[in-house]
Amino acid sequence: MKITIACLLLFTMPALFAQLPAQRKQAENPVIFADVPDMAMIRAGDSYYMSSTTMHMSPGVPIMRSKDLVNWTLVNYAYDTLANVDELNLENGKSTYGRGSWASSLRYHNGMYYVTTFAQTTGKTYIYTTKDIEKGPWKAAAFKPSYHDHSLFFDDDGRVYLVYGGGKLKLVELNADLSGVKPGTSEQVIIENASAPAGNNIGLHAEGSQLFKVNGKYYLFNITWPKGGMRTVVIHRADKITGPYEGRLALQDLGVAQGGLIDTKEGNWFAYLFRDYGAVGRIPYLVPVQWVDGWPVLGTAGKVPATLDLPASKGLIPGIVASDEFTRRKGDRPLPLVWQWNHNPDNRNWSLKARKGFLRLTTSRTDTSFLLARNTLTQRTIGPACTGSTLIDVTNCKDGDFAGLALLQKRYGLVGVKNDNGAKSIVMVSAGSDQPVEVQRIPLKQNTVWLKAVCNFRDLKDIATFYYSLDGANWTPIGSALKMTYTLPHFMGYRFGLFNYATKEAGGYADFDYFRITDSISDR
């Protein structure tokens, strides 16, 4: 009888398990483990769109799309070039690291998409409009002054405003066509001290305004930072856009702050925010929102949850970062959207056509340092760990040229090939102590070499190691580990970069066969 029951169970148990609902995998915070700060977000139909800050990078103000708030794909940029000035062009010894365009505002109104941003570099506010956020084209307008951390707002009566400032928050009305400030109007203070809900001992005064209207009330989100504390969300609400506003401390956990509100088509609400997380940068979080007595209440018992009742992430590759074999079919973009140039590129000196299946970077001038060199092609690093690699051909580099693979930030690291007095060497350079130091040099007897950079962001370790290979199979570490450090002068998470610059004579070129990125540590 025991044998009969056992046999019966053997045949029936799989059928019983098959009838049980599969356990749904949940999304985890952070929803994007990569540098995507200052997010602004909208929902249009069943799609969500998000813009973010990329400052000195070109093209700028990336646009990302998602169907579930978790899995995002780059679909466009608001501009190719912010402005044609020395600081953005890396010319005459000038740069705009940590500046360029900052926190954007993203809106959809009467069939038109609007992206606004501002730039300390130019002292202007920029407004980009399009009917097709994914394909463009974009129409650009700019005017002075540069309205800091502004929020664009279309009110129900047809009037258009910017809310902006730090600590003391202000309101200004724009022309109906958003071409500038409406004549005859002046700025007005709507909140005298927006940091007040977080106390009196404030280090960073309230900024990062994002204004929303829900059920007839105005809700203004800001970030502030009490001294000795952490980044904090404060929310003010009012019955009129001009106030008076009453405020509350809305979230104080893990330093997750700065962002706004988004609702799903199912009627659920979330706050999109970000967290400073060391060298990888500022990484996005989602926090569930419940409405209580007309206030959005953020988090679970006031805390940022580790998991969310949303679909699980499928990973950041290839939506946010991606490998590139540098092969292109007819109709392909010259460069996939995951790529951005460090400052404005000189488009005469890079090519994907000069040698099929390769990215060619040609020098057009001499430079004194990596950070001032033009045409470094970059994309984000990702956490908790990642590896970037490339194969480089330096046959046509000239004396004094240096070409290779970088981890870009103020305290950068490089591995590449230097050509000095007719002799080639594999060189690792570390600027981990602020000043670049050549840590190791190995003679190179061939014209091709494989290069690799490995990043470990787990638990804020922020360690990078560099490798080279002479055959693409056997890897050798070079130099020393780089302690990656997020610095405010660059204000950006570390990025992989492909570079080539001249120190003696222009006109040489390096060919990159591919760039490959993985979301794991690969040291072999």
Side-chain angles (χ1 to χ4, degrees):
M1 185 64 180
K2 289 181 180 180
I3 295 177
T4 304
I5 293 173
C7 291
L8 180 62
L9 288 173
L10 181 66
F11 285 104
T12 59
M13 286 299 287
L16 290 173
F17 280 119
Q19 296 175 23
L20 294 175
Q23 185 175 2
R24 180 188 178 192
K25 290 186 177 180
Q26 290 183 307
E28 297 180 354
N29 271 318
V31 289
I32 302 176
F33 208 140
D35 193 46
V36 183
D38 304 333
M39 306 95 71
M41 197 180 295
I42 60 171
R43 177 171 61 86
D46 63 351
S47 293
Y48 303 93
Y49 293 99
M50 176 169 65
S51 62
S52 177
T53 294
T54 48
M55 302 182 197
H56 48 274
M57 295 291 165
S58 179
V61 189
I63 307 296
M64 290 151 274
R65 180 192 65 218
S66 176
K67 293 292 187 179
D68 57 17
L69 287 175
V70 176
N71 294 283
W72 294 89
T73 300
L74 281 155
V75 294
N76 210 337
Y77 288 91
Y79 66 79
D80 288 326
T81 300
L82 181 68
N84 185 23
V85 296
D86 284 354
E87 290 85 353
L88 288 163
N89 291 337
L90 286 174
E91 290 182 337
N92 297 316
K94 296 181 179 180
S95 69
T96 192
Y97 285 109
R99 296 185 296 276
S101 63
W102 278 10
S104 58
S105 184
L106 176 62
R107 300 292 185 186
Y108 181 63
H109 178 71
N110 289 342
M112 189 74 72
Y113 293 92
Y114 296 81
V115 172
T116 67
T117 186
F118 66 103
Q120 292 180 334
T121 309
T122 61
K124 293 181 179 180
T125 296
Y126 294 82
I127 297 181
Y128 302 93
T129 58
T130 183
K131 290 184 177 180
D132 190 336
I133 195 171
E134 298 190 26
K135 297 180 180 178
W138 293 88
K139 179 182 177 182
F143 52 85
K144 291 188 175 183
S146 173
Y147 286 109
H148 178 80
D149 275 12
H150 65 255
S151 177
L152 177 66
F153 188 79
F154 294 91
D155 212 343
D156 297 336
D157 59 4
R159 300 171 75 176
V160 190
Y161 301 91
L162 293 180
V163 177
Y164 63 96
K168 181 183 294 186
L169 302 183
K170 300 177 181 180
L171 178 76
V172 67
E173 187 173 357
L174 301 183
N175 293 323
D177 62 359
L178 281 69
S179 58
V181 175
K182 185 177 180 180
T185 62
S186 59
E187 65 182 33
Q188 55 183 308
V189 176
I190 57 172
I191 303 177
E192 187 67 34
N193 178 13
S195 306
N200 297 320
N201 192 25
I202 300 297
L204 174 69
H205 292 277
E207 61 178 18
S209 293
Q210 294 202 33
L211 181 63
F212 306 88
K213 194 172 187 179
V214 182
N215 294 330
K217 284 188 179 289
Y218 299 85
Y219 295 88
L220 182 58
F221 276 61
N222 290 99
I223 179 178
T224 191
W225 197 336
K227 292 179 180 178
M230 66 182 71
R231 288 180 179 265
T232 299
V233 181
V234 293
I235 300 176
H236 288 79
R237 75 175 184 182
D239 293 322
K240 297 180 180 180
I241 194 169
T242 53
Y245 283 85
E246 55 178 328
R248 286 187 175 183
L249 191 154
L251 184 68
Q252 199 170 58
D253 185 40
L254 301 177
V256 174
Q258 189 163 341
L261 285 171
I262 190 74
D263 66 330
T264 69
K265 60 183 180 181
E266 293 81 17
N268 299 317
W269 290 82
F270 292 89
Y272 53 87
L273 307 163
F274 69 80
R275 179 186 183 187
D276 294 85
Y277 201 80
V280 75
R282 296 178 288 170
I283 57 180
Y285 279 65
L286 286 174
V287 176
V289 171
Q290 300 294 326
W291 290 88
V292 180
D293 297 329
W295 285 95
V297 177
L298 276 58
T300 304
K303 299 295 182 181
V304 176
T307 60
L308 300 158
D309 189 20
L310 289 169
S313 172
K314 299 175 184 177
L316 304 185
I317 304 172
I320 301 297
V321 298
S323 299
D324 193 345
E325 299 297 317
F326 298 123
T327 56
R328 300 290 183 265
R329 294 174 295 183
K330 187 176 180 180
D332 285 348
R333 296 179 59 92
L335 288 172
L337 293 168
V338 294
W339 290 113
Q340 287 176 286
W341 297 99
N342 177 21
H343 291 63
N344 293 340
D346 182 343
N347 290 317
R348 299 168 296 180
N349 292 298
W350 68 272
S351 175
L352 291 166
K353 296 179 179 179
R355 183 179 177 186
K356 188 175 181 180
F358 287 78
L359 167 70
R360 177 167 294 178
L361 298 180
T362 303
T363 65
S364 60
R365 67 185 194 192
T366 60
D367 284 294
T368 57
S369 73
F370 164 66
L371 291 180
L372 290 177
R374 210 163 177 188
N375 282 16
T376 295
L377 187 61
T378 81
Q379 58 174 289
R380 295 171 178 83
T381 57
I382 60 174
C386 61
T387 298
S389 61
T390 189
L391 168 59
I392 185 172
D393 184 339
V394 294
T395 302
N396 295 288
C397 286
K398 292 193 172 185
D399 190 38
D401 287 2
F402 189 15
L405 175 65
L407 284 173
L408 173 61
Q409 232 275 356
K410 185 175 184 290
R411 297 182 179 179
Y412 60 83
L414 310 173
V415 61
V417 178
K418 273 190 176 180
N419 190 352
D420 288 324
N421 300 317
K424 294 182 176 70
S425 302
I426 307 170
V427 174
M428 187 267 169
V429 173
S430 172
S433 58
D434 268 342
Q435 296 301 317
V437 175
E438 184 178 301
V439 181
Q440 188 174 2
R441 176 183 288 248
I442 298 169
L444 179 65
K445 301 300 183 182
Q446 59 194 57
N447 287 321
T448 57
V449 64
W450 288 257
L451 306 171
K452 183 190 303 186
V454 176
C455 303
N456 185 357
F457 301 110
R458 290 190 180 98
D459 302 318
L460 296 171
K461 286 186 173 66
D462 292 349
I463 296 295
T465 48
F466 295 86
Y467 300 81
Y468 74 92
S469 174
L470 300 178
D471 57 11
N474 300 290
W475 292 91
T476 302
I478 184 171
S480 60
L482 172 71
K483 182 63 174 81
M484 296 181 286
T485 305
Y486 187 98
T487 70
L488 291 181
H490 276 215
F491 214 179
M492 185 174 288
Y494 275 76
R495 283 181 165 246
F496 292 111
L498 304 178
F499 71 92
N500 180 31
Y501 69 96
T503 62
K504 296 181 181 179
E505 179 184 2
Y509 59 85
D511 289 336
F512 295 83
D513 191 1
Y514 60 79
F515 173 78
R516 294 172 186 160
I517 185 170
T518 65
D519 57 0
S520 60
I521 290 176
S522 174
D523 54 6
R524 294 179 181 176

